[in-house]
Amino acid sequence: MHIVWFKRDLRVADHPALAAASQRGPVLPLYIVEPELWALADSSARHWAFIAETLKSLRADLARLGQPLVVRVGDAVSVLRDMVQHYGATALWSHEETGNAWTYQRDLRVGAWCRDNALPWTELRQNGVHRRLRSRDGWATTWDRFMAEPLAEASALAPLDLDLGTIPTARALHLAQDPCPDRQPGGRAVAQSCLRSFLNTRAEPYRWAMSSPLQGARACSRLSPHLAWGSLSLREVTQATWQRQSDPELPRNWQQSLRSFMGRLHWHCHFIQKLEDEPRIEHENMHRAYDGLRPTTPDSTRLHAWAEGETGLPFVDACMRCLNATGWLNFRMRAMVMSVASYHLWLDWRAPGLVLARRFTDYEPGIHWSQVQMQSGTTGINTPRIYNPVKQGKDQDPTGAFTRRWVPELAAIPDHHLQEPWKAENASAVLGKTYPHPIIDHLSAARAARDQIWAVRRSGGFRQEAKGLLAKHASRKPMRRKTKDTQQGARSAPNQLSLPFES
């Protein structure tokens, strides 16, 4: 009996662990719902809703192979012990997981238990991330080689006589209410439909529209939650994109957009690799010179206003309200809202990072915490990018349609003052009544933040530690020059893309 432990890989297609186990004997496909994991500050009901939908789809797909998914609730070691005792399991299979610190410690406990009980546990790669990587040299080539391998196919499964268990509700897991009316649904069929529509219908303007919060909602792939929780494999997406690119009649603008998308599939694994190599960056500044820079206890008033879209900065508030209702933002807006939290509001990245982790349906710890630190200026290897929220609103929402949709309180403010309502002649009729005054002066706040960040960068010993971080984490691919679109200057770290993954 071989247990296949599903984690962030909720699919049957291209599942190397399932394929390998199915060739060796009877398979018990298992998903463990861990209450302690769902009590963490980076977990939310919208995550579980997406996963629960995907688990139902996975159970049906496994049933078609011969044995439906088994679901158990409890501690992983306790559940696995029960499986071994009651069903005579003799081997454990799973994919390597780059999760948060809690899942890392849980896997250490599971590994120790397996060794103590002579239960072989085989963990296989499912993406371009390398465990125990010694050097980034050649990483991209290895990524390409892995993605070009044939998709793993599982054999038929022998039916087992055991209780399948029920998929619990968010309420049963004691998750806080988390209304997200426009959340993307989970499930394999939805994921496949999303991939097809992107490659065949939606991707044409991707390269040019990805930065717009309005256009990007359709032009971006929207595959990120399916990749994060595993209803699609990255290899499936990569090979499907390669196949689309191979069409000799594909127009030039399609080719350019799909080339940009392929770059972001590389960056997807590039950022997860950072957390795999250095798990501490979930909780600690990547560059230690930034320790103590911001107050460790966040200003609760500022944090709440930012989280709920009540800062008085219209474009920031529109983005946060959109995120709260949909579970998704395009990358540039993710970068901007985090930049505003860290620089303008001077909040330590951990607290707003947790807010975003809970609200992104596509929360992927490796990408998330790497990006949170990048947009907060604490990596030491990326140039601090202090986004001007007013300029971003004017540039990325020139008609004001996105801002007006999510901040209807500004209906009476003229278009030319929409992003700066405090300058409008009728400002007194709106601000402080139906919409708040800005909680900070964004220009002076940005200047103060820039001075403090760059003072650290000029301090003794900064360059030496940054050099080590660059060697460990930076891409080896040359970086193209980016146009200046922030308040920060043009200096940038070599070989380190500033605007990487676009979901």
Side-chain angles (χ1 to χ4, degrees), residues 312 314 410 413 417-428 430-431 435-436 438:
L410 298 177
I413 299 294
H417 285 315
L418 178 61
Q419 302 300 342
E420 300 172 283
W422 51 89
K423 292 184 178 180
E425 292 183 0
N426 61 338
S428 61
V430 177
L431 302 187
Y435 185 69

Side-chain angles (χ1 to χ4, degrees), residues 183-258:
R183 173 184 60 80
Q184 288 180 249
R188 174 71 179 177
V190 176
Q192 291 177 300
S193 176
C194 188
L195 177 60
R196 287 193 300 269
S197 71
F198 177 67
L199 293 179
N200 298 315
T201 305
R202 297 185 290 110
E204 182 177 9
Y206 173 81
R207 185 178 183 184
W208 301 272
M210 66 171 75
S211 293
S212 164
L214 202 58
Q215 295 175 281
R218 175 174 173 79
C220 290
S221 76
R222 305 305 299 270
L223 296 172
S224 52
H226 300 291
L227 291 172
W229 302 108
S231 46
L232 285 172
S233 79
L234 194 67
R235 184 158 51 192
E236 286 182 281
V237 175
T238 300
Q239 293 190 10
T241 307
W242 282 341
Q243 183 176 8
R244 185 75 170 105
Q245 288 178 299
S246 69
D247 182 352
E249 298 182 1
L250 194 66
R252 183 171 180 270
N253 53 346
W254 272 89
Q255 293 172 352
Q256 292 174 327
S257 284
L258 291 181

Side-chain angles (χ1 to χ4, degrees), residues 249-366:
E249 298 182 1
L250 194 66
R252 183 171 180 270
N253 53 346
W254 272 89
Q255 293 172 352
Q256 292 174 327
S257 284
L258 291 181
R259 190 159 51 245
S260 293
F261 177 65
M262 277 302 307
R264 280 153 180 80
L265 294 182
H266 278 84
W267 289 109
H268 172 277
C269 296
H270 165 78
F271 280 95
I272 299 175
Q273 186 73 58
K274 291 176 185 282
L275 186 64
E276 175 68 34
D277 293 344
E278 199 157 5
R280 71 177 185 85
I281 67 174
E282 180 187 351
H283 300 293
E284 301 175 11
N285 290 319
M286 182 179 287
H287 196 301
R288 293 179 175 85
Y290 291 107
D291 291 351
L293 179 65
R294 297 178 174 98
T296 54
T297 301
D299 182 312
S300 59
T301 300
R302 289 186 173 190
L303 180 63
H304 178 79
W306 173 81
E308 300 306 316
E310 297 288 345
T311 66
L313 300 169
F315 194 50
V316 174
D317 293 343
C319 288
M320 292 304 295
R321 295 181 189 187
C322 174
L323 172 60
N324 294 345
T326 69
W328 184 86
L329 274 179
N330 63 322
F331 174 78
R332 187 178 292 271
M333 274 50 271
R334 296 185 188 213
M336 184 202 67
V337 297
M338 192 64 218
S339 172
V340 168
S342 296
Y343 293 119
H344 299 81
L345 304 182
W346 205 239
L347 299 171
D348 182 89
W349 54 266
R350 296 162 183 85
L354 285 171
V355 171
L356 295 178
R358 291 190 294 270
R359 295 185 182 178
F360 289 147
T361 307
D362 56 13
Y363 171 51
E364 175 70 67

